[in-house]
Structure formats: C-alpha cells, structure tokens
Amino acid sequence: MTNRDNINDVLTSLINNKEIADVKFIIGKDKKEYYCNKLFLQNCSPVWKEQLYDPEWRNKTQDFVTLEISDVESEIFLVILQYVYTRKPVLTDRNCLRVQEAADKFKIDGLGAMAMLFMTKNISPQNCFDILKKAQGYKDALLESKVFDFLMRDEGVFKVANILEGVKEENIKSILGFRRCSSAEYDIFQRVNEWGKWKLKEAGIEESPEALKDVLSGLLPLVKLILMGPEQLKEIKALKLYETKVIFDYSLNLIDRYKGRSFKTSRGIPGLSKETIQVLHLSANTDNWIKDLKESILCTGLTNYTYISAQKATPSVETLKKYHVVWVNSGNSFQNPTQLGDNLAKYVDAGGSVVIGGIHTLRSDNANWVMKGKLATGNYLPFKKGTLVQNKRCTLKTIVEKDHMVMRGVKTFDGGRYSSHINTSMNSGGIPICKWSDDQVLIAEKPRDMGNTVVAINIRPASSKVDGSWWDVNTDGRLLIGNSVEYAGKMSKIELNQK
C-alpha cells in the first residue's frame, strides 16, 4: 500500500465522524445527519464558507454549526462529502446528473467538472436525453455531440423508445396524412414507436430494436413536420428535416411533455421567434396601468404589439386569430365578460395562447371585471378562481419549475405592502411554475392538446410605478410578465387570420 493510499484511508475515515466534527448537516426529506469539518467544507464551496461563519446558522445549544438542506438527497450528499474529503467521489450513471446539479448549487466547481466528464464517458439509453438537456443548458458542445453520436448508433434512440411504456395504440394516419395533429404533443413520439411495434406484429416479424429501427427509419422526420405551423414550413428546407440534431432536439421536447415536465429553455423552445410573435394586449384599465403593463409585456424584446380596450370593446374570435398570444386583465369592468370568455376559449381551441394577468380577472365574485364565459367555466384555467388576499407582504418563495422559460433571469419578486393575490387551488392538468411565500400559486400554466398554453399570473399586474404599495418594480416582476407572454407566444399554434 502506498503513502497516497494511506492518506486517502485517513481522509475517508473523517467522513461523518461525529467525534471530531464541528458542523452538522441535516439532509433531504428523511433528515439524515452528516457530521463534517469546517476546514474541508470552506475550501471546496464558497457557499458553505459564507454560511459557516454567519451567526444566523449557528445552533446555540451545541458546539457546532447546523445546516439543513432539504432539496438534496442523502445519497448524493454522501458523494459530495467523498469529493470534499478525498477528491474521489463514487460517480455512477444513475447519480452523475444529480451530483452535477448539487455541485452547481454549492459552487463546487471541481466536482461539477468531474461529473460532466463522467457523463461524456457513460452515456446510456436511460440517461442520454437528460444528459443532452444538461449539455445544451451549459452550452457544452463536446458533451452534446457525444450524445448525438450515441443516438445515431444502433443501440441508441430505439432502445430509449422501448423504455417508454403504457401508450395506447392509435391510428398513425394523423401523422402520415399531414393533417393538424389533434393529439397532445407529448404523445406523438410514443405513438410513432407504438405504431412501429404494431407494424412488426402485423407482418409477423419478431420485435427487436433493429427491426423497429428499419420500420421507423423514414418516419421520425415527420414527427417534427406535422407539428410545424405554416410560417415554419415556409422557412425550413427539405434537407433540414433529415438532420439528426433537428429531429432529436424536437423529440427531446416531446419526451419532456410525456414525463409531465415543462419545456426546458436552456435548449430553446421550438416555435416562433421574438420578431414573429404577434401580441394582443386586452385590458380594462386606466392609461397609467396600460403604459406600465406594456413596458412589462415587451421587456424581453417582443415588438409586434397591439392594444385594445376590453372596457370599450369585446374582440371577435376572428380578431383574436390575428395574434399568436393574448394578454388579458381587468381592473375595471369588461364590456362583456361572458362573451369575452367564450371568444377566448374558441381562440385557445384554434391553437392560440392566452396569458391571464391579474387578480381581479381571476376573483370568484360575480363583478363585471371577473373573467366569465367558457374560458372560466370550461376547465381552461390552470387554477381555480378565488377570494382576494392582501395587506400582508409576500414574496417569491418557491420555484417549482426551475428551468421553465417563465423563470428565466428571475431572482426576486416582492409583492409590495399589499401583495394582492387570490387564495386558490390547482385545476386538473394545471402545472404550478412558482409560488408565493404563503404557498399560494403565483404563476401556473395549463398546456393544451395542440401544444399551445394558458398561463395565469396571480398578482396585481401593475407595478409600484403606478402605486407605491404594489409589487416592487426593482424586483423581477417585469420579467415574470414578459417571460410569460413570450413563452405563451412561442407555444402558440394559431394560424393567423390576416384579413
């Protein structure tokens, strides 16, 4: 045994050694305890270095500092400690992604680099799509190319497809016939795979990855084609359909939906560009509100903007179809809240996206500023209408979907002295994106079968520039609003009516 081995054994013996520890970690939902040493921790992580010497974190009844970390699993934390003490973490294809995310959280750069390197050498059918998302999020071209190389080999994508189970056999004609797809986006990739299995069975051929590959080899490009709108079809060249990266980048989005997660903006969302998205701003407000909301709606760089007063007019369905996304809020009475809700529901059914911004629009009382009609009663909203809560300062507390485009660049949100919002609960199919500090949902979406979406923002949408007691304009409220509109616009499947 070498001296190096001896040193490593000594360092390993220090891991979770209570007798010599001066720091206690309480980890994960099971609250497992780990005992550590400041000297090792502070040299690895600037996050821990700051916390360890902050009086707020000290447990006054004991001699050591106590830190609680609820969002890291105990088995992952043990790998971190292996790196902290010995620089020899036990990485596997099952833990490397979670270790890398934890290393990023605590700014342990060396461990993060080791996990990324491990990924490049250990791509498997079980982890390849998750690694691809990670590579695109970190703009790691080498790791991304490694994944695509894997997907092109025989044992790649079709073994991945076989992992996905429980999908009903459906008629593939909606894809082969180039008609608008009536099924949910997240079902198409699985339906193609299921159709391939059915074709093998019909032909009396034994199912295998190789046979399935032969059946589906000419079909995968069509998965992307059928989901494109007219404007996208004009822009794309025929050869581009058969580029590997185009096909699999889109498949990645389909699988995310299948798993019940939101699209990951780190790789970009297939859809319309900022320059293309047509935005309609529908408000029943005073001029100062409208000016402030316009600034928020356009803060991410959208340019095609139209305002219509919902207090003076109720746009027809044909008018709504001139826009990819409609922002709607009240503040004063709508001209016809029932007709407006009916028209917006038909617009969503046609593929348009809606962002409902504001507590008055979402309240459960019967005033004319409340959204009514089919949009409110037909299970289009991500959460239920509710009663008003205010006069207690609340902030952004929980980001449920950390990689969601709505949260891009968002760090803080302060609702101000009133922090007006509604008490509510989620509707079936609604996805919470972030929450208030009182655990009420702040923003949520409800994806539609065509791929478009309805987003609801549980705030008073105008900022402290309009009223000093409303949400603090120095925090990221504008981004929450602007990101929501841009995201909904990118998800839109509306075929614009230019008449």
Side-chain angles (χ1 to χ4, degrees):
M1 182 178 289
T2 65
N3 288 335
R4 185 182 296 273
D5 291 330
N6 284 327
I7 293 171
N8 188 68
D9 288 343
V10 171
L11 293 173
T12 301
S13 71
L14 300 179
I15 298 175
N16 205 20
N17 190 326
K18 186 175 182 179
E19 293 180 2
I20 61 171
D22 51 14
V23 179
K24 180 174 76 171
F25 283 96
I26 302 173
I27 303 298
K29 295 180 180 178
D30 55 354
K31 297 189 178 299
K32 188 167 183 178
E33 295 181 356
Y34 287 94
Y35 294 88
C36 314
N37 303 88
K38 286 182 187 177
L39 179 63
F40 290 91
L41 296 168
Q42 68 185 19
N43 286 334
C44 283
S45 166
V47 175
W48 286 337
K49 183 176 182 179
E50 181 179 349
Q51 289 180 342
L52 290 170
Y53 293 96
D54 185 343
E56 178 185 347
W57 295 92
R58 289 188 175 278
N59 186 323
K60 302 298 184 182
T61 65
Q62 299 183 21
D63 295 331
F64 42 73
V65 178
T66 300
L67 301 179
E68 184 167 353
I69 302 171
S70 60
D71 56 353
V72 175
E73 298 160 282
S74 56
E75 63 183 84
I76 300 303
F77 191 75
L78 181 57
V79 177
I80 294 175
L81 292 186
Q82 290 167 351
Y83 174 82
V84 168
Y85 282 87
T86 70
R87 297 300 190 270
K88 292 185 176 181
V90 178
L91 294 169
T92 69
D93 59 352
R94 292 181 178 276
N95 71 18
C96 60
L97 278 164
R98 290 175 293 160
V99 169
Q100 194 282 326
E101 290 168 356
D104 195 37
K105 173 183 176 69
F106 301 118
K107 302 189 186 307
I108 308 174
D109 296 336
L111 177 58
M114 289 177 71
M116 292 292 276
L117 180 62
F118 182 91
M119 290 181 211
T120 65
K121 298 179 179 179
N122 295 275
I123 300 170
S124 70
Q126 288 76 22
N127 67 20
C128 63
F129 283 110
D130 285 331
I131 291 176
L132 182 55
K133 290 198 292 287
K134 183 65 64 178
Q136 292 175 333
Y138 281 86
K139 298 183 179 178
D140 189 324
L142 175 61
L143 181 55
E144 185 177 10
S145 67
K146 292 274 188 183
V147 177
F148 283 120
D149 288 344
F150 169 81
L151 288 172
M152 285 305 293
R153 297 200 299 267
D154 287 347
E155 68 268 33
V157 68
F158 295 101
K159 283 188 179 179
V160 174
N162 287 339
I163 295 170
L164 305 170
E165 299 175 351
V167 181
K168 295 179 180 179
E169 287 189 4
E170 293 186 42
N171 197 323
I172 202 68
K173 290 181 181 179
S174 60
I175 292 178
L176 296 179
F178 291 88
R179 297 196 295 271
R180 177 175 290 281
C181 184
S182 60
S183 298
E185 282 188 2
Y186 53 77
D187 209 29
I188 293 179
F189 188 80
Q190 286 72 42
R191 292 198 303 123
V192 171
N193 185 54
E194 204 64 25
W195 177 81
K197 293 179 181 180
W198 173 74
K199 288 294 289 184
L200 291 176
K201 184 178 180 181
E202 185 183 52
I205 299 172
E206 184 178 353
E207 184 182 317
S208 69
E210 291 74 24
L212 194 57
K213 177 183 177 182
D214 290 340
V215 170
L216 298 179
S217 59
L219 186 60
L220 280 177
L222 305 184
V223 174
K224 181 171 177 64
L225 183 62
I226 189 61
L227 294 172
M228 288 182 175
E231 295 182 12
Q232 293 168 299
L233 288 171
K234 290 176 186 176
E235 296 172 359
I236 197 163
K237 296 179 181 179
L239 288 177
K240 197 165 182 68
L241 284 172
Y242 292 89
E243 288 182 11
T244 307
K245 188 177 186 309
V246 172
I247 297 167
F248 287 114
D249 196 47
Y250 200 81
S251 297
L252 204 60
N253 286 304
L254 299 182
I255 288 174
D256 261 352
R257 284 285 191 178
Y258 174 75
K259 291 179 178 178
R261 296 198 295 262
S262 303
F263 285 162
K264 308 300 183 186
T265 60
S266 58
R267 64 173 173 271
I269 297 174
L272 302 170
S273 66
K274 290 182 183 181
E275 296 75 22
T276 305
I277 295 171
Q278 297 285 339
V279 180
L280 174 60
H281 176 184
L282 273 179
S283 284
N285 289 132
T286 56
D287 290 344
N288 57 344
W289 273 60
I290 295 163
K291 181 180 178 181
D292 188 71
L293 281 171
K294 180 180 179 180
E295 188 174 344
S296 295
I297 290 169
L298 301 181
C299 74
T300 68
L302 300 176
T303 56
N304 300 306
Y305 168 92
T306 302
Y307 171 75
I308 294 177
S309 170
Q311 194 173 11
K312 298 178 180 178
T314 302
S316 67
V317 178
E318 292 306 306
T319 298
L320 295 174
K321 285 183 178 180
K322 295 179 181 179
Y323 306 93
H324 295 110
V325 56
V326 177
W327 164 282
V328 58
N329 74 284
S330 58
N332 290 309
S333 295
F334 291 123
Q335 184 196 55
N336 189 331
T338 300
Q339 187 64 57
L340 179 60
D342 288 342
N343 291 354
L344 284 170
K346 291 177 181 178
Y347 165 76
V348 170
D349 289 341
S353 291
V354 171
V355 181
I356 302 171
I359 50 165
H360 294 303
T361 319
L362 298 164
R363 283 169 59 173
S364 57
D365 52 73
N366 198 38
N368 278 338
W369 59 64
V370 175
M371 179 59 63
K372 299 178 182 178
K374 190 176 179 181
L375 192 75
T377 61
N379 200 23
Y380 286 76
L381 304 180
F383 52 80
K384 296 176 172 59
K385 295 195 292 183
T387 55
L388 185 63
V389 178
Q390 58 184 359
N391 295 324
K392 177 184 177 182
R393 182 179 294 272
C394 293
T395 58
L396 170 65
K397 176 187 176 183
T398 305
I399 300 177
V400 181
E401 294 285 336
K402 295 181 180 179
D403 295 318
H404 200 292
M405 182 176 172
V406 168
M407 304 312 299
R408 182 182 60 188
V410 175
K411 296 179 180 178
T412 62
F413 177 71
D414 185 334
R417 181 164 65 87
Y418 285 135
S419 294
S420 303
H421 58 285
I422 61 168
N423 273 329
T424 184
S425 58
M426 299 302 298
N427 274 326
S428 172
I431 301 172
I433 297 171
C434 59
K435 293 184 178 182
W436 285 99
S437 52
D438 65 354
D439 286 328
Q440 285 295 320
V441 64
L442 200 160
I443 303 179
E445 71 161 319
K446 184 161 185 178
R448 305 293 299 175
D449 282 352
M450 293 174 65
N452 52 318
T453 191
V454 176
V455 178
I457 306 180
N458 188 10
I459 64 174
R460 188 189 298 271
S463 75
S464 58
K465 287 182 68 175
V466 177
D467 186 308
S469 62
W470 297 348
W471 66 261
D472 187 349
V473 75
N474 295 310
T475 58
D476 295 320
R478 291 214 190 283
L479 270 180
L480 286 172
I481 292 172
N483 285 346
S484 296
V485 175
E486 183 184 344
Y487 167 72
K490 284 180 176 293
M491 294 296 97
S492 179
K493 299 296 184 293
I494 197 74
E495 296 182 11
L496 294 190
N497 177 4
Q498 301 295 350
K499 295 180 181 180

